[in-house]
Each structure stands twice: as structure tokens, then as C-alpha cells.
Amino acid sequence: MTLEYDVVVLGAGPVGENVVDRVRAAGLSCAVVEAELLGGECSYWACMPSKALLRPAIARSEARKVPGLRGHAFGPLDAHEVFAHRDSVVGNWQDDGQVDWVRSTGADLYRGHGRLDGPRRVTVQAPEGDHYALTARHAVAVCTGSRAVLPELPGLTGARPWTSREATSSSQVPDRLVVVGGGVVAAEMATAWQALGSHVTVLVRGGGLLSRMEPFAGEHVAAALTERGGEVRTGVSVTAVVRDGSTGPVTVVLADGDHVEGDEVLFATGRKPRTEDIGLDTVGLEPGSWLDVDDSMRVAGSDWLYAVGDVNHRALLTHQGKYQARIAGAAIAARAKGDADPVPWGPYSATADHAAVPQVVFTDPEAASVGLTLSAARDAGRPARAVDLDLASVAGAGLFASGYRGHARLVVDPERETVLGATFVGPGIAELLHSATVAVAGEVPISRLWHAVPAYPTLSEAWLRLLEAYRDGAGTS
């Protein structure tokens, strides 16, 4: 059976859903194909379950620093209750609500494995054996996301390691958890499982945690993990993994001859695109590759194929993928209605991917950043000056928590006097990030930021102190 639509979307995670929403709002017919749960990685194995695990850990930690509460917040977390809440947040890994939403848009849903079959064609093999051939009049959008990468190490397959999926979905607390990696997944899951009762050892090949942020961010997070009884080892490489029997402990062998034992091992060592079996070879592209796109998310060299979200490797973040989906949907609709080449700005160009990507790491303490770090700005040849602030000096910090510890940095272009980037680390700082994102994305002059008055006494007073430091030349490098 061959069916024709204006747009066919491969993948019904948050990114694919947003493409569907935009093209349907523009009046285009649409089919969406999904082999797993509608809602994708973020809803069931990443953003949502991880934050459900982390929130109790962070709330308990903050309560321990509040007079009148701290004496009552030293008991263990109720792991059973935490897991039950996590399960509720992910809908017990059922996607009925997402299915209802897709159908409410008027899009047609096809469950099964979708593959490109030449230009503007997609075939679907349904689980029950049905076969569908879909044709797109205007566009096919590949929104298939990414999956965890496991390195090729002796013994690793037989050791049954955790990836991010197992780390966010397990309902058993291992006595000892070894975490291999130093990025966001490693830092967040080390925080969550340590709070649930695991003794956590983090093995980082590089020099520290969260290496894509300013160095102080990872230093604060590592220090907090260590103070709570964990161990963070940097500059180490794993050479083999051995599991003792089917349920015994895991031994992680290091290049220096040392080893670390745990009951489970989590490898948080990167992502790869889910493009290895979607028919890229039928349209002249390499299976398993990241897909290069322009700022409207259209694949290089094509006038009909779009790649949105993780698969284009621009910014592997759910909110950024959804932003790209809004751009792609608008561009597809404009071109379908006769705009040969929509203007390269406004709703048709994902400019934030280049200069204003925000990210929050929900560790304890939280770490958040947007735009360029100082080293990234200088590596790019940008004039850059850093302004630093000890967040403990802000009045709102002492009210937020006794013994508050945190740090903030603005990276400023001293020639244009605009903010190129911002990084914050400390309890409760995640909500500071959007103001920084507006400043970076809007290229708001420092002279105007003086008139954005922070409410007193809040953590956002950090903005005033950073501007004063910039004006006075204090705390800068």
C-alpha cells in the first residue's frame, strides 16, 4: 500500500513531535513513524526520569543547609518512593498519552521501523508484519535521535554494563557503582545514585568533570561528590571490564594496572546517531553518520531531506532539538507554499545553535552555562574578558543556604561590550540561566543590562555584582 503525505517524519520523540506540530499547524498533511515509545529518549530514559531521581537528592541537600530543617534532613532517601515517583513521571513506560496527542494533531501514526527508500520515500515495517510505503510531496524529516556509545573493551559485553537507559530506569540500588565518563550523564547519575545509597567511584579519562564548561564548574561538582563520600579519579583510562559470574561484582581494570570494583558499572562515554539502519544509502548518504544541515535543518545537497535534533550533531540537548524542530517546521511549510528560499533569519534559521545554547547540569551543586567559555571565545579569535564572582557574596545566597558555595563567570566582548557567555555553579542557580541566555542571544549591551534591576534579596543579584566587577575591573582575567 502506497500512501502520500506532504511531510513524513521519522521519529516521534520531542523533536519529531514538534516538527509534526508545526507542519500540521501550517495545514500540511503529515505521517510520523516510530519504532519505540512515542516521546522518545527524553521522556523515558533521559531528561524526565533522571530529574525525577535527582530532585529528591537536591532537595534533601538544600534542606540540610536551612536553619530549622537541617537537623531533620539527615535520614536516607526512601528509594522505593523515589523509584515510584520516577515511574509515574515516565508513565510507567507507556506512551498512551503521547499517542493521543499525535492523533489530536491530525497526523497519521505508523508504529514500526521506518527506512528511507530513495528520494521522498519511506517504507515502514510494522511489528505485526504489515508493510507501508509512504511518499512525501515536500519533505522527509529524520528525527531519530542518538544512542549511548559503548567502547570496545575486553569483557565489556559480558559484564552487562549500564548505559544512560539502565541508569535512569533501574529500581535496585547497587552498593557500589563505578561511573566511567566525565560529562553530564556521568555527573548527574553519580549524584543521583550516591544520594540513593551507592558508594560511587567516577573514572574520568580527562582532567576533570564537565570539561565543556568553565573549569570551576566541574571542580565544584567533584568536590561535593568527594565530600559526600564518593571518589573522583581523573586522568585514568579503562582497559578491560570483568564480571564475576552472572550476578557477581564487576572489576574495572585501568591502564596503570590498578582496578576498581563495583556491583554495577555505568559507561557514560558519548553518543552516536541512530542513523545506521534508516536507509541513508538509498539517498547517497553514509549509514550511521551524523547528518550535515544548514540553519533551516535541511541536509546539505538536498531540497527535501531534513535532519533535526541529535542526528545533526549541532547541540545534543532536548530543548535545542525542539527549537530546531520549530525552525524546520516553519521552513518546510514556507517552502511548500512557494517560498523558494526563505530568508536566512527569523523563524527559518537556528542561529542559537551557534552562539546561545543553554545547558543545566542537575548535580548538587547545579551547574549551568550558555554561550562561549573564556577559552572557547579566545580559541575562536574573539576578544574576550572574564568577570568572576564568588556567589557567597550575594545577599540572597546566605538566605538560600547556610555556608553557600558557588561561582559565576561572565565572558564579555570588551570591544562591543556584550556578553558572549555565562557560567554559574551553586545551589539553586538553574533559574539564573535564562536571563543569561536572553543577554547572549539578544546581544544586549552592558549599558542596557544596568537597567535590568535584580530583585533583592535573590540569587539574581549576582548580575548586579558581575556588572559592578566588570565596571571596576575587579575579578577579571
Side-chain angles (χ1 to χ4, degrees):
M1 180 186 299
T2 300
L3 300 159
E4 190 173 51
Y5 295 88
D6 291 322
V7 181
V8 177
V9 178
L10 276 180
V15 174
E17 289 176 338
N18 272 266
V19 174
V20 171
D21 183 55
R22 290 306 163 110
V23 298
R24 286 296 301 134
L28 302 181
S29 62
C30 182
V32 59
V33 182
E34 176 56 61
E36 293 191 300
L37 296 174
L38 274 72
E41 199 80 9
C42 175
S43 298
Y44 304 103
W45 300 286
C47 321
M48 299 304 290
S50 66
K51 304 316 167 280
L53 293 175
L54 285 159
R55 180 57 193 151
I58 293 171
R60 182 182 64 173
S61 177
E62 291 177 350
R64 288 175 173 177
K65 299 167 187 158
V66 177
L69 277 178
R70 53 190 169 201
H72 305 280
F74 280 88
L77 293 177
D78 184 331
H80 178 75
E81 188 174 351
V82 172
F83 294 144
H85 175 61
R86 183 268 321 274
D87 295 352
S88 175
V89 166
V90 301
N92 293 297
W93 290 276
Q94 300 294 317
D95 62 1
D96 298 359
Q98 299 298 107
V99 171
D100 289 343
W101 178 85
V102 168
R103 288 175 174 161
S104 76
T105 68
D108 288 345
L109 170 63
Y110 294 86
R111 284 194 181 272
H113 181 65
R115 300 183 81 255
L116 294 166
D117 186 31
R120 294 185 171 85
R121 296 196 304 272
V122 172
T123 61
V124 183
Q125 184 67 48
E128 61 275 13
D130 292 339
H131 181 86
Y132 302 95
L134 312 179
T135 299
R137 298 184 191 93
H138 299 294
V140 174
V142 175
C143 309
T144 48
S146 64
R147 59 163 52 91
V149 173
L150 286 174
E152 294 184 5
L153 292 173
L156 184 59
T157 301
R160 302 183 310 283
W162 282 5
T163 67
S164 53
R165 283 199 170 192
E166 290 78 17
T168 57
S169 62
S170 175
S171 293
Q172 298 295 323
V173 180
D175 290 336
R176 301 166 299 171
L177 176 64
V178 181
V179 179
V180 181
V184 175
V185 172
E188 288 190 344
M189 290 298 93
T191 299
W193 288 101
Q194 184 178 64
L196 285 164
S198 294
H199 179 271
V200 173
T201 302
V202 185
L203 305 176
V204 187
R205 185 172 59 183
L209 294 177
L210 306 178
S211 61
R212 294 188 179 184
M213 289 185 167
E214 298 284 5
F216 62 79
E219 291 166 3
H220 274 261
V221 173
L225 284 168
T226 301
E227 288 172 6
R228 291 192 293 270
E231 184 179 2
V232 179
R233 299 176 61 175
T234 60
V236 295
S237 296
V238 176
T239 58
V241 181
V242 180
R243 169 83 72 174
D244 183 6
S246 59
T247 60
V250 177
T251 300
V252 179
V253 182
L254 306 180
D256 62 5
D258 199 359
H259 67 275
V260 180
E261 287 195 352
D263 298 288
E264 298 291 352
V265 58
L266 162 63
F267 273 80
T269 48
R271 310 284 296 179
K272 64 180 179 181
R274 290 177 173 267
T275 60
E276 68 277 8
D277 189 25
I278 62 167
L280 291 184
D281 54 306
T282 70
V283 293
L285 297 171
E286 181 182 352
S289 64
W290 302 101
L291 299 175
D292 292 331
V293 297
D294 63 19
D295 282 348
S296 72
M297 304 299 113
R298 191 163 57 178
V299 173
S302 174
D303 63 355
W304 60 272
L305 184 62
Y306 292 72
V308 194
D310 282 11
V311 291
N312 62 39
H313 208 232
R314 288 164 67 107
L316 276 66
L317 297 161
T318 296
H319 50 270
Q320 214 67 18
K322 292 164 70 173
Y323 160 72
Q324 293 175 8
R326 297 191 291 270
I327 298 293
I332 289 168
R335 289 169 176 145
K337 293 178 180 179
D339 288 352
D341 188 16
V343 291
W345 47 264
Y348 307 122
S349 185
T351 56
D353 285 351
H354 305 301
V357 175
Q359 181 169 28
V360 177
V361 186
F362 292 87
T363 43
D364 177 21
E366 294 171 338
S369 66
V370 63
L372 298 175
T373 62
L374 179 61
S375 62
R378 289 177 173 170
D379 288 346
R382 303 287 297 272
R385 172 181 159 194
V387 185
D388 288 281
L389 177 71
D390 180 350
L391 285 173
S393 65
V394 176
L399 293 169
F400 190 93
S402 297
Y404 189 101
R405 285 183 292 176
H407 194 93
R409 169 175 284 183
L410 293 186
V411 178
V412 179
D413 180 335
E415 296 178 1
R416 300 181 64 224
E417 292 215 314
T418 56
V419 179
L420 298 174
T423 301
F424 307 92
V425 62
I429 54 78
E431 299 302 335
L432 287 178
L433 186 61
H434 192 60
S435 54
T437 303
V438 171
V440 173
E443 300 181 354
V444 182
I446 296 289
S447 61
R448 289 304 305 158
L449 288 176
W450 278 105
H451 301 282
V453 182
Y456 181 88
T458 66
L459 289 172
S460 60
E461 191 185 1
W463 276 98
L464 174 59
R465 303 303 169 214
L466 285 163
L467 292 176
E468 289 175 336
Y470 178 77
R471 176 198 63 194
D472 298 339
T476 65
S477 59

